[in-house]
Amino acid sequence: MDRVLEYKIEDKYDGANVITVLKQHFQMSSKLIKDLKKYSDGIRLNGSHIRTVDTVREGDRLSVTLRDAPSENIVPENIPLDIVFEDEDILVLNKSPYMPTHPSMGNYTNSVANGVMYYYRVRGEEHVFRAVNRLDKDTSGLMAIAKNSYIHARLAEEIQTKELRRKYRCIVCGDVKNDGVVNAPIKRADGSVINRIVSSDGQRAVTRYRVMERYGEYTLLEMELETGRTHQIRVHMAHIGHPLVGDWLYGREDHSIAPRQLLHSCYLSFIHPISGRKLEFKDEIYRDMYDFIKKISRKY
């Protein structure tokens, strides 16, 4: 599906070449610009095809056409989606637990991607599925999906520059005494595809946590990620002796306590790449976390 972006050339770009405007105003990558050049209507000035080496003048109208097609090998599936925001470029939804973000080997259905592809098809839209902040299967909460490669790249840059902020809430085992920071590198465990461990030769990983409420042998925490490593919160909290409740991989394997790790993406904010407006989304905790808190509160 095509998405057309337009820009009226300002005085500061008068006499500049097209590629300068694309890189500085639109902040487009060289790869995306190369893709745009494949189509006759990919880059146009005042309605006509133009080369990237050509110059522009104040008042000219530069337009680029982003072309997309549906993701291959993702089966559209009628899965209810809790959509909290949508425009031409971005979809923000509240993911339920027990639902992976993408299909995987041996599990081709019941993912966010399957549901989103069905949602697009019903609306007559064609997009590649591009998750901005991927959540684990059993993690619930807010996640953003980009509707085109340009938006996906811009939001990925915001993750690197810390303009895109993510906060989580989780219930951990033990009485956490104070707020704190875990600064411990993470790498994949030898011989494992899934398991991550803290290791001096791993990638930098920093997690900040704040105590929200204490319930005797359990604590509700709010977490903010400075980096985004796989299983970062789960690995870091287990590392300091406070694994997440229900975390079968890094904590106590007791599904009678909780059938999933009690982790929820509760806050997401970023600068919209097109409007420049800051968007903020908040969601407290998932209902099973409320139920768990109600149950343990009776004891204390």
Side-chain angles (χ1 to χ4, degrees):
M1 187 168 182
D2 292 353
R3 171 70 163 106
V4 179
L5 307 178
E6 295 186 341
Y7 171 58
K8 185 178 180 180
I9 303 298
E10 298 172 277
D11 175 65
K12 63 180 178 180
Y13 291 118
D14 187 73
N17 55 26
V18 171
I19 197 167
T20 297
V21 181
L22 294 177
K23 287 190 171 184
Q24 293 185 11
H25 174 73
F26 288 106
Q27 298 182 44
M28 287 186 173
S29 66
S30 297
K31 181 182 182 302
L32 179 54
I33 294 171
K34 183 179 179 180
D35 289 341
L36 292 173
K37 291 165 68 175
K38 295 177 182 177
Y39 307 103
S40 60
D41 61 346
I43 308 170
R44 299 173 73 86
L45 190 71
N46 300 324
S48 300
H49 174 72
I50 191 171
R51 301 173 303 168
T52 56
V53 295
D54 292 336
T55 58
V56 298
R57 294 297 178 190
E58 182 182 2
D60 284 345
R61 292 190 175 274
L62 180 68
S63 66
V64 297
T65 301
L66 306 168
R67 190 145 288 144
D68 220 348
S71 289
E72 296 181 1
N73 304 320
I74 297 181
V75 180
E77 187 178 1
N78 188 4
I79 299 172
L81 299 175
D82 182 6
I83 296 171
V84 297
F85 173 84
E86 182 179 15
D87 66 6
E88 288 184 272
D89 303 294
I90 300 168
L91 190 67
V92 177
L93 55 84
N94 202 339
K95 186 182 92 66
S96 301
Y98 316 115
M99 181 187 295
T101 297
H102 296 90
S104 58
M105 187 68 67
N107 182 23
Y108 300 105
T109 59
N110 193 38
S111 74
V112 175
N114 297 114
V116 169
M117 294 309 294
Y118 180 88
Y119 178 76
Y120 288 155
R121 187 177 72 176
V122 168
R123 293 166 61 90
E125 299 181 11
E126 294 184 341
H127 305 288
V128 172
F129 178 77
R130 298 181 176 92
V132 177
N133 61 313
R134 178 175 175 171
L135 300 180
D136 293 342
K137 175 183 176 181
D138 289 344
T139 299
S140 56
L142 297 166
M143 63 179 296
I145 297 161
K147 290 188 176 183
N148 57 67
S149 59
Y150 171 67
I151 296 297
H152 189 256
R154 290 290 305 277
L155 292 179
E157 288 174 5
E158 289 193 28
I159 292 176
Q160 298 302 315
T161 61
K162 310 296 189 296
E163 290 177 293
L164 187 149
R165 296 182 63 194
R166 297 158 290 172
K167 294 181 182 179
Y168 297 78
R169 288 190 178 174
C170 62
I171 303 173
V172 301
C173 299
D175 183 358
V176 180
K177 299 299 182 184
N178 302 296
D179 301 348
V181 178
V182 183
N183 186 344
I186 293 174
K187 75 170 188 177
R188 180 181 294 171
D190 294 340
S192 176
V193 175
I194 300 173
N195 196 27
R196 265 61 178 177
I197 59 172
V198 168
S199 176
S200 59
D201 60 344
Q203 293 179 296
R204 179 176 179 268
V206 180
T207 304
R208 303 180 184 278
Y209 61 90
R210 181 166 64 96
V211 175
M212 302 295 294
E213 195 67 55
R214 297 183 179 90
Y215 306 96
E217 58 186 301
Y218 301 102
T219 307
L220 174 66
L221 300 177
E222 183 171 275
M223 330 288 289
E224 182 160 13
L225 300 180
E226 188 173 313
T227 54
R229 308 303 173 202
T230 300
H231 296 176
Q232 180 173 315
I233 290 174
R234 299 166 65 188
V235 173
H236 273 175
M237 296 318 295
H239 177 66
I240 64 171
H242 295 289
L244 271 63
V245 172
D247 193 339
W248 61 270
L249 185 59
Y250 301 107
R252 303 172 184 173
E253 191 173 358
D254 187 347
H255 291 292
S256 66
I257 297 176
R260 70 167 182 115
Q261 73 263 8
L262 297 184
L263 177 62
H264 184 76
S265 171
C266 67
Y267 176 87
L268 182 65
S269 72
F270 52 85
I271 306 301
H272 195 296
I274 303 299
S275 69
R277 186 164 58 99
K278 181 178 180 179
L279 300 180
E280 286 187 289
F281 306 95
K282 299 177 182 179
D283 189 75
E284 291 295 318
I285 53 177
Y286 200 72
R287 56 181 174 268
D288 60 348
M289 296 174 70
Y290 278 116
D291 292 341
F292 183 83
I293 288 172
K294 184 184 294 185
K295 180 176 69 175
I296 61 176
S297 294
R298 298 193 190 108
K299 294 176 59 179
Y300 303 102

